[in-house]
Amino acid sequence: MALHLVKLCVGIESAEQLQSYIEHRQIMALAAGLSDEQVHTTRMVPTRIDELLDGGSLYWVIKGAIQVRQKLIDVRVYQDENGRKQCDLVLEPHLVHTQLRPRRPFQGWRYLKPEDAPDDLQIAGPVTDIPEAMRKELQELCLI
């Protein structure tokens, strides 16, 4: 059964800003002749990697609520220059919008059980066509 991670998306104001940041990093990497692979580095190494790679995702907390997720492709463990373990979370570059789920601040990442993960948004048409404030309001009214 898949296991997920949840992490704060510090410095990002909206899911649209996060998607724009991802796309910008991909463009810059390709322009520099590097891989456009979407990687997030973390100092803590998960011990349940097999479960994470069995269909798990990284859920992003933006402005106090889980709003989007990215599917985990790989977890690469390595040692930094000081000999401390770290890992790269390799992610799909596109975001999947989820039902809003309030989440208090925390440090690092946390495991997220499948039964605790918010459902993906199921609406007709791309979610990105709806302004962020309107999407939140429609969701609070249970219209999407």
Side-chain angles (χ1 to χ4, degrees):
M1 178 181 282
L3 182 66
H4 308 291
L5 294 175
V6 62
K7 185 162 181 23
L8 297 181
C9 197
V10 178
I12 297 293
E13 299 292 320
S14 68
E16 289 72 24
Q17 184 183 6
L18 177 58
Q19 185 66 55
S20 178
Y21 175 74
I22 291 167
E23 291 168 1
H24 176 74
R25 284 188 59 186
Q26 287 181 306
I27 291 168
M28 297 304 289
L30 290 173
L34 304 171
S35 169
D36 67 343
E37 185 175 67
Q38 175 65 30
V39 176
H40 179 77
T41 302
T42 179
R43 292 181 300 207
M44 299 300 294
V45 177
T47 57
R48 301 168 69 180
I49 294 173
D50 290 339
E51 292 172 83
L52 291 170
L53 296 179
D54 187 22
S57 292
L58 175 60
Y59 284 78
W60 289 108
V61 176
I62 302 171
K63 301 303 276 181
I66 296 174
Q67 294 189 27
V68 292
R69 69 177 179 86
Q70 287 179 277
K71 185 173 176 12
L72 280 162
I73 298 172
D74 198 7
V75 177
R76 299 182 187 142
V77 180
Y78 64 94
Q79 289 187 349
D80 68 9
E81 61 276 355
N82 297 320
R84 290 180 295 224
K85 276 190 173 181
Q86 292 188 344
C87 76
D88 286 340
L89 304 174
V90 183
L91 308 162
E92 283 191 357
H94 69 277
L95 300 175
V96 177
H97 289 261
T98 65
Q99 297 290 331
L100 294 179
R101 176 79 47 89
R103 194 72 188 233
R104 290 183 175 205
F106 58 92
Q107 291 186 344
W109 52 261
R110 300 285 185 268
Y111 288 115
L112 182 65
K113 296 177 187 172
E115 60 268 18
D116 296 332
D119 293 331
D120 293 347
L121 276 183
Q122 302 295 325
I123 64 171
V127 175
T128 56
D129 289 349
I130 301 173
E132 185 76 18
M134 182 185 292
R135 183 177 68 81
K136 285 181 182 179
E137 190 171 333
L138 288 172
Q139 191 170 356
E140 288 170 1
L141 294 169
C142 298
L143 296 175
I144 60 171

